[in-house]
Amino acid sequence: MSPPFLSAAVLHQDPAQCDALCDAVADDAGFRVVGGTADAASTLEVLATATVHVLLLDVASAGDEAPEFISAVRAASPRTGILLLVHGQGAPLLEELMARGAGGWLDATRAGTDLAGALRTIGMGRRYVPAATASAG
């Protein structure tokens, strides 16, 4: 049985963007935001103190350390799903992040329309690959 809500955390280095993403997630029925953070260390603290079903990770905010951070999240909270918010990062990086344990990705330009569905899919333990990407193969 799935929980009555999915708890989410958001990592985005820009405080205004982090707040906006947290608000967007919280506005959708069925979600509760348990943390909005600006860096990896703060995100790992949230994972250590709260149940987080899904983490929305802005890949640009994680920077060059994104692969290591994904591994750290997997080690700290193996059941937390990870949705990558991408800004044109290339396929090789996305493939590496998926191999490290991310559950899917969403282009930032689609966040307004697809965010809740993508988070829900990842939070329920399934993969999320954008439809345009899946059909382009």
Side-chain angles (χ1 to χ4, degrees):
M1 174 181 265
S2 61
F5 63 88
L6 291 172
S7 58
V10 175
L11 186 157
H12 198 295
Q13 67 186 359
D14 179 88
Q17 289 294 318
C18 187
D19 288 346
L21 286 167
C22 287
D23 289 346
V25 173
D27 284 348
D28 194 278
F31 288 102
R32 179 173 58 120
V33 176
V34 296
T37 63
D39 59 66
S42 298
T43 303
L44 291 173
E45 287 177 21
V46 169
L47 293 173
T49 60
T51 298
V52 178
H53 295 109
V54 62
L55 169 64
L56 176 59
L57 168 62
D58 178 69
V59 175
S61 295
D64 293 339
E65 304 301 319
E68 293 78 13
F69 177 65
I70 298 286
S71 294
V73 169
R74 295 273 42 92
S77 187
R79 292 183 180 216
T80 297
I82 303 168
L83 177 64
L84 305 170
L85 188 61
V86 300
H87 306 270
Q89 284 87 356
L93 176 61
L94 292 177
E95 289 171 7
E96 179 179 3
L97 297 178
M98 294 290 287
R100 296 251 186 157
W105 69 89
L106 178 64
D107 190 280
T109 62
R110 301 288 309 164
T113 55
D114 298 344
L115 182 60
L119 285 170
R120 193 168 284 108
T121 298
I122 299 293
M124 296 176 73
R126 297 190 305 259
R127 292 258 185 205
Y128 182 86
V129 177
T133 304
S135 63

